[in-house]
Amino acid sequence: MKLWGGRFKNAESKLMEDFNSSLSFDKTLYYEDIIGSIAHVKMLSKCNILTEKEKETIINGLNEILSEIESGKLKLEGDYEDIHSFMEVNLIKKVGEVGKKLHTARSRNDQVAVDMRLYSKSKSKEIVENIDILLKTIKKIADENHVIMPGYTHLQRAQVVTFTHHMMAYHSMFKRDKQRLLNAIEIMDENPLGCCALAGTTYNTDRHFTTKELGFKKPVDNFMDGVSDRDYLLELISDFSIIMMHLSRMSEEFIIWNSKEFDFIYISDEFSTGSSIMPQKKNPDAAELIRGKTGRVYGNLMGLLTTMKGLVLTYNKDMQEDKEPFFDASDTVLKCLKVMNGMVCTLKIKKEKMYKAVKKGFLNATEGADYLVNKGMPFRDAHGVIGEIVLYCEENDKAIEDLQIDELKKFSDLFEIDIYDFIDYENTLNRGIKKEM
Ligand code: ARG
């Protein structure tokens, strides 16, 4: 069932019909399509293009369709070109001839554009809410675990940090992600309804009315841009990609920390799976899947950027390819945020294991050098002296603070008893990270 055909002599090939149809995926937009149509019909009546009675009949019909879809009575399937044709044909079936007036002063080009704006705006707000939940969870686990751990560069133990500080680094990342999404929502919050096919309509319509009805900030400035702009989807998927990149880094940390080699954390059974052959295995699949799904979100971004590249104004059917990447990217990021939140909520920190790694890692070596500098030695020489001490400690399986003062004095007579306080891990933290917080 199509909305066109008058100018055609021959029927469309079945193959082409299948190829062209988008209902299997744009059915996701059923709700936005209906509320967009209701706002449009209200506007038509306000502008005296439809009578009050016609408006009522159409709106009632659309509301019935909505409840039938939601109750499962009306299935979003069948021989329709897209969700827009589905709605119009079903409306005509329901309310008769007057249903044919719904599409007055509108094209599917501005219709699909308004549907996607509404859908992507509300989905992005849902993602923002889920970032907020994750932010709270990260803050909570950070606050509850003021535990000393090694901080890394090059994945080599570098300096002592706290689990709190490490987690709050991710808090900063997700806070920026939230802001980025809010900015994108602010920019895209414009109404394309009324642009019609590409150049507006001869009817005296009111774009400000539908803008208000649908909760947009303003109507788009330019009709041709209004029907062919997909920047907002690209911007949102870019933001989703950055969120996924952050989630993947966090996942990778958890995977490493959960390994027996590190053994810093315990990922709960709820977010782990087993092996079908190796009974001893408990795998961090949730974290691995988040890391893996990052690739498909990047893929969606690349796909849509490539679809849009070089497209002349205005609407081209290529743009129908904007939906699946956006749906997939937004669903994926939402699910990953929820799973990450669940995993962080149930994470257990192995305080002793972290402390042991700090001791084994000579994480107060830099502070040892700073001590000698404070006593008057040039930094480069102090670096050399501490390097020799580290070598000696490694050979004797000791930490710097385990050496007696006489042993230390063999390397430099600047060492006094206050060295132990100076290189104490808590004290180094207090002079470093903590003083900045
Ligand atoms: N299914 C189409 C899409 O998603 C709707 C717009 C169709 N417009 C047209 N002129 N054929 O882009």
Side-chain angles (χ1 to χ4, degrees):
M1 268 162 282
K2 287 188 200 73
L3 301 175
W4 45 268
R7 59 106 55 230
F8 286 78
K9 279 197 190 140
N10 299 316
E12 191 184 10
S13 115
K14 184 77 195 116
L15 183 63
M16 178 56 195
E17 224 174 85
D18 265 8
F19 188 57
N20 191 35
S21 173
S22 53
L23 182 64
S24 63
F25 51 89
D26 65 16
K27 62 182 180 189
T28 306
L29 299 172
Y30 77 87
Y31 177 76
E32 287 72 19
D33 201 70
I34 289 176
I35 61 163
S37 286
I38 291 177
H40 180 64
V41 168
K42 282 189 186 166
M43 183 278 293
L44 291 178
S45 138
K46 184 203 159 250
C47 297
N48 298 318
I49 300 165
L50 289 184
T51 66
E52 185 70 17
K53 174 129 199 328
E54 288 170 330
K55 173 188 90 174
E56 296 284 305
T57 314
I58 295 178
I59 292 181
N60 288 342
L62 287 168
N63 277 326
E64 263 179 54
I65 292 178
L66 179 60
S67 54
E68 283 176 21
I69 291 172
E70 293 192 332
S71 71
K73 188 169 159 204
L74 182 60
K75 298 257 175 294
L76 287 162
E77 58 192 29
D79 192 11
Y80 302 94
E81 192 178 336
D82 50 29
I83 188 66
H84 324 297
S85 326
F86 174 94
M87 291 296 175
E88 197 169 323
V89 172
N90 278 286
L91 179 71
I92 296 166
K93 268 194 218 156
K94 205 169 259 307
V95 302
E97 284 298 294
V98 62
K100 294 185 181 168
K101 296 194 175 185
L102 167 66
H103 212 51
T104 315
R106 185 176 73 173
S107 153
R108 277 184 294 166
N109 297 354
D110 59 342
Q111 186 177 359
V112 76
V114 80
D115 290 3
M116 276 306 273
R117 291 244 188 188
L118 289 169
Y119 180 86
S120 56
K121 193 166 91 171
S122 89
K123 197 82 180 183
S124 302
K125 286 184 177 168
E126 199 184 339
I127 292 173
V128 168
E129 282 164 23
N130 277 273
I131 296 178
D132 264 331
I133 296 174
L134 181 60
L135 282 171
K136 283 206 189 83
T137 306
I138 292 175
K139 175 96 176 57
K140 184 164 182 285
I141 199 166
D143 285 346
E144 287 170 0
N145 291 282
H146 286 280
V147 172
I148 283 179
M149 71 178 292
Y152 295 82
T153 63
H154 313 267
L155 199 52
Q156 307 291 315
R157 291 174 200 164
Q159 280 186 290
V160 60
V161 296
T162 56
F163 180 77
T164 309
H165 203 68
H166 201 132
M167 279 297 106
M168 289 310 280
Y170 285 96
H171 193 273
S172 297
M173 294 178 222
F174 292 119
K175 218 164 82 184
R176 287 196 297 276
D177 290 337
K178 173 181 166 181
Q179 192 54 47
R180 247 188 294 273
L181 274 181
L182 292 175
N183 290 346
I185 292 170
E186 170 78 16
I187 295 173
M188 60 90 83
D189 197 7
E190 297 186 354
N191 178 22
L193 191 60
C195 296
C196 222
L198 76 159
T201 166
T202 55
Y203 296 95
N204 217 348
T205 54
D206 185 347
R207 293 195 298 137
H208 290 275
F209 180 90
T210 53
T211 297
K212 211 160 164 242
E213 275 295 304
L214 294 170
F216 287 109
K217 210 171 55 195
K218 64 187 272 289
V220 295
D221 290 334
N222 181 291
F223 291 156
M224 295 175 78
D225 182 45
V227 292
S228 61
D229 167 27
R230 298 293 182 270
D231 297 4
Y232 62 101
L233 296 176
L234 289 167
E235 193 168 351
L236 291 171
I237 308 178
S238 307
D239 294 350
F240 299 162
S241 299
I242 298 176
I243 297 172
M244 289 303 299
M245 180 269 288
H246 289 152
L247 286 172
S248 79
R249 294 182 74 178
M250 197 173 200
S251 296
E252 176 70 5
E253 307 252 28
F254 291 169
I255 292 165
I256 293 177
W257 293 349
N258 184 64
S259 70
K260 277 282 161 282
E261 285 70 15
F262 272 70
D263 208 17
F264 284 177
I265 57 167
Y266 176 86
I267 298 178
S268 87
D269 289 359
E270 284 174 83
F271 292 93
S272 311
T273 58
S275 156
S276 57
I277 174 167
M278 295 165 281
Q280 85 282 13
K281 294 268 304 275
K282 199 178 100 179
N283 301 326
D285 285 27
E288 288 174 278
L289 273 172
I290 294 173
R291 190 179 57 185
K293 283 176 192 290
T294 305
R296 68 193 278 165
V297 176
Y298 292 1
N300 288 323
L301 175 62
M302 283 305 135
L304 186 53
L305 273 171
T306 312
T307 296
M308 293 306 294
K309 176 183 178 293
L311 277 191
V312 294
L313 296 183
T314 52
Y315 179 83
N316 299 278
K317 197 58 178 262
D318 314 45
M319 293 175 183
Q320 178 163 287
E321 291 293 311
D322 64 353
K323 292 177 193 58
E324 288 159 294
F326 184 82
F327 296 157
D328 186 71
S330 54
D331 287 344
T332 304
V333 75
L334 203 51
K335 239 182 266 171
C336 290
L337 283 166
K338 288 182 183 181
V339 171
M340 181 55 92
N341 186 62
M343 196 160 47
V344 178
C345 270
T346 51
L347 211 63
K348 295 271 172 293
I349 314 307
K350 298 187 176 175
K351 190 174 164 182
E352 290 74 29
K353 293 282 168 61
M354 285 184 175
Y355 187 73
K356 217 168 130 192
V358 166
K359 257 187 105 73
K360 284 265 167 229
F362 302 106
L363 296 195
N364 47 9
T366 309
E367 285 70 22
D370 291 347
Y371 173 90
L372 292 174
V373 170
N374 286 341
K375 299 262 162 162
M377 188 183 283
F379 180 76
R380 195 48 59 215
D381 294 339
H383 188 283
V385 169
I386 300 290
E388 285 169 26
I389 294 177
V390 167
L391 193 63
Y392 174 82
C393 285
E394 272 181 343
E395 282 161 6
N396 294 282
D397 195 25
K398 283 184 173 169
I400 302 176
E401 65 274 21
D402 296 339
L403 301 185
Q404 300 301 319
I405 189 70
D406 298 343
E407 277 175 291
L408 284 171
K409 276 191 183 293
K410 283 189 203 139
F411 294 92
S412 163
D413 53 15
L414 292 177
F415 283 118
E416 300 295 342
I417 206 74
D418 59 349
I419 177 65
Y420 298 106
D421 254 4
F422 197 87
I423 60 170
D424 173 79
Y425 301 113
E426 278 293 342
N427 290 343
T428 65
L429 276 174
N430 288 336
R431 286 193 307 270
I433 288 175
K434 280 193 189 158
K435 129 171 106 45
E436 294 296 326
M437 302 314 291

